[in-house]
Amino acid sequence: QVQLVESGGGLVQTGGSLRLSCAASGRSISQCASGWFRQAPGEERQFVAAVTRNGRTTYDVASVKGRFTISRDNAERTVYLQMNSLKPEDTAVYYCAVGCRSDSSSYPLSPASYDSWGQGTQVTVSS
């Protein structure tokens, strides 16, 4: 089991930037899928971005493509989400997730592909 701790959330104005970090412990995540999800009050958890075991990245195109960038430092066991040009609708709790099953990287958009979740970090974008 991988333990995940997110950090980097906070309050930012529209147009600002934040970088979220997700530190993993317990095992290497280099052969795992790593993803970011978010959940706003009263809404379902939404896929944001993922990087597969082969380093392929995928994004929720409609909401974040071109503004957010996911990356992973395998040596540091850390996954990042760089968020630029933030909008009020990006306000949510952001969760990091890791899936190390053989099929996790085949379906990176699905929460079911992930076995480990962080506690979440709040991102608030003011208008």
Side-chain angles (χ1 to χ4, degrees):
Q1 191 79 1
V2 180
Q3 292 77 46
L4 302 172
V5 178
E6 300 103 333
S7 60
L11 174 64
V12 64
Q13 292 185 331
T14 296
S17 297
L18 286 173
R19 189 175 81 154
L20 305 184
S21 299
C22 173
S25 61
R27 61 158 289 170
S28 170
I29 61 171
S30 64
Q31 295 302 306
C32 305
S34 303
W36 287 96
F37 292 76
R38 67 186 182 186
Q39 188 167 17
E43 297 187 12
E44 298 283 325
R45 190 167 295 190
Q46 176 192 18
F47 169 79
V48 175
V51 53
T52 68
R53 60 187 298 171
N54 296 321
R56 178 174 59 89
T57 58
T58 187
Y59 298 90
D60 179 73
V61 174
S63 61
V64 306
K65 185 71 181 290
R67 300 188 297 123
F68 290 10
T69 302
I70 188 170
S71 60
R72 181 174 64 206
D73 186 326
N74 289 328
E76 295 295 327
R77 298 186 181 184
T78 302
V79 185
Y80 301 98
L81 185 68
Q82 177 68 44
M83 306 187 295
N84 299 326
S85 302
L86 283 161
K87 306 174 182 180
E89 51 264 44
D90 295 317
T91 295
V93 178
Y94 283 70
Y95 297 91
C96 173
V98 167
C100 302
R101 304 194 309 268
S102 58
D103 63 344
S104 292
S105 288
S106 299
Y107 306 99
L109 277 67
S110 171
S113 293
Y114 300 91
D115 304 303
S116 302
W117 293 82
Q119 81 288 352
T121 185
Q122 176 70 46
V123 171
T124 303
V125 184
S126 63
S127 57

